[in-house]
């Protein structure tokens, strides 16, 4: 069994081998204990992604001695917007006006704006999360008008596929959607997970969200 430090190093080498452009690595630590995060931190990782609010907040408390950046990557339920706005640095799954408005209103004034990505449902996704591409321009306009939020970019979770051509098509679609919104100076394309991050980087990902390739398979826990 590889250590977290060696798995992290292997992922970084794979990422670097793809291209010269720097790509941010978000370590997805959902379901893994605080100790695993501490191990990754000791190996130089500072940004972590979590999908379950209560679990994440328990870990934040345990790890409050470390300077970590916390990204919420799960679906945002409206009854969780306040606690998310109070604890996280980033939210990747904003896909509705109401959620954006609630996050903005709940963001404490003494904190910097919450950094957000709009989640888009790219072609072939069966998931209910993510806004339809046709509605993206209106939501982007709305999100960028909110005081408590800073619109940074777009995020997608395409249906898993082993077909690299298909993987790349879907990531390319998200990139084109971002390129069609030049007025917001978006700097983030959050796309790519353990099984498809190479395709995502080839299509312009600036941030990849990687869990099992670093921490191990969640199913085998
Ligand atoms: C769990 C999760 C990931 C990480 O998935 P792996 O396949 O373990 O790399 C990335 N993004 C989101 C939104 C997730 O929920």
């Amino acid at each position: 069994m590889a250590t977290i430090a060696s798995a992290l190093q292997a992922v970084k080498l794979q990422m670097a081998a793809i291209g010269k452009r720097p790509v941010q690595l978000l370590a997805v630590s959902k379901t893994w204990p605080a100790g695993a995060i501490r191990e990754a931190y000791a190996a130089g990782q500072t940004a972590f992604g979590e999908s379950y609010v209560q679990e994440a907040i328990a870990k934040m408390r345990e790890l409050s001695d470390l300077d970590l950046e916390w990204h919420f990557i799960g679906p945002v339920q409206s009854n969780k917007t306040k606690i998310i706005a109070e604890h996280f640095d980033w939210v990747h799954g904003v896909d509705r006006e109401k959620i954006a408005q609630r996050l903005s209103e709940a963001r404490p004034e003494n904190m910097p704006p919450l950094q957000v990505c709009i989640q888009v449902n790219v072609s072939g996704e069966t998931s209910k999360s993510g806004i339809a591409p046709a509605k993206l321009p209106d939501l982007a306009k709305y999100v960028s008008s909110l005081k408590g939020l800073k619109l940074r970019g777009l995020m997608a979770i395409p249906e898993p596929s082993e077909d690299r051509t298909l993987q790349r098509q879907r990531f390319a679609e998200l990139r084109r959607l971002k390129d069609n919104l030049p007025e917001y100076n978006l700097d983030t394309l959050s796309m790519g997970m353990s099984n498809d991050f190479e395709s995502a980087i080839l299509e312009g990902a600036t941030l990849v969200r990687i869990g099992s390739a670093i921490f191990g398979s969640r199913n085998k826990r």
Side-chain angles (χ1 to χ4, degrees):
M1 178 67 200
T3 64
I4 289 172
S6 65
L8 197 51
Q9 186 59 25
V11 168
K12 283 189 199 163
L13 286 173
Q14 275 176 277
M15 288 170 61
I18 300 165
K20 293 198 191 72
R21 200 166 31 84
V23 177
Q24 199 194 342
L25 171 57
L26 181 66
V28 176
S29 45
K30 67 182 182 209
T31 78
W32 295 97
I37 296 177
R38 207 173 272 284
E39 232 178 292
Y41 176 82
Q45 180 66 27
T46 53
F48 293 89
E50 292 280 341
S51 302
Y52 310 106
V53 179
Q54 301 306 335
E55 177 197 324
I57 285 167
K59 287 185 236 179
M60 288 175 188
R61 295 214 171 98
E62 263 191 77
L63 298 165
S64 58
D65 57 315
L66 307 182
D67 190 13
L68 303 179
E69 186 177 276
W70 293 99
H71 295 234
F72 189 77
I73 61 172
V76 185
Q77 296 165 341
S78 48
N79 62 348
K80 298 278 164 56
T81 46
K82 182 165 191 287
I83 192 161
I84 290 172
E86 287 172 352
H87 288 85
F88 283 84
D89 302 296
W90 281 72
V91 176
H92 291 238
V94 173
D95 64 358
R96 280 177 283 159
E97 281 195 7
K98 182 179 148 206
I99 292 291
Q101 182 195 13
R102 291 177 64 103
L103 286 170
S104 177
E105 280 170 4
R107 184 65 167 177
E109 276 183 15
N110 63 346
M111 292 175 86
L114 191 57
Q115 310 295 301
V116 308
C117 290
I118 293 177
Q119 185 178 350
V120 185
N121 198 305
V122 292
S123 59
E125 271 191 58
T126 52
S127 124
K128 289 190 194 72
S129 316
I131 190 166
K135 294 183 177 158
L136 174 62
D138 283 346
L139 184 59
K141 189 172 180 188
Y142 181 72
V143 170
S144 63
S145 75
L146 297 172
K147 242 183 84 203
L149 307 185
K150 169 73 186 160
L151 179 60
R152 295 292 297 271
L154 305 182
M155 179 267 212
I157 315 174
E159 234 6 52
S161 166
E162 299 298 318
D163 179 344
R164 297 212 163 208
T165 308
L166 205 61
Q167 290 175 0
R168 289 190 59 167
Q169 278 171 6
R170 280 150 190 185
F171 293 134
E173 188 185 340
L174 193 70
R175 172 170 43 82
R176 279 193 298 272
L177 290 168
K178 173 180 163 292
D179 291 346
N180 286 340
L181 297 170
E183 62 270 46
Y184 304 111
N185 294 314
L186 304 179
D187 62 8
T188 304
L189 263 183
S190 167
M191 58 187 197
M193 321 202 320
S194 294
N195 289 325
D196 56 14
F197 71 86
E198 295 189 350
S199 296
I201 291 174
L202 288 169
E203 293 300 340
T206 67
L207 179 153
V208 290
R209 308 176 309 267
I210 299 187
S212 41
I214 298 171
F215 295 106
S217 165
R218 288 180 296 276
N219 298 331
K220 296 203 188 102
R221 290 203 61 210

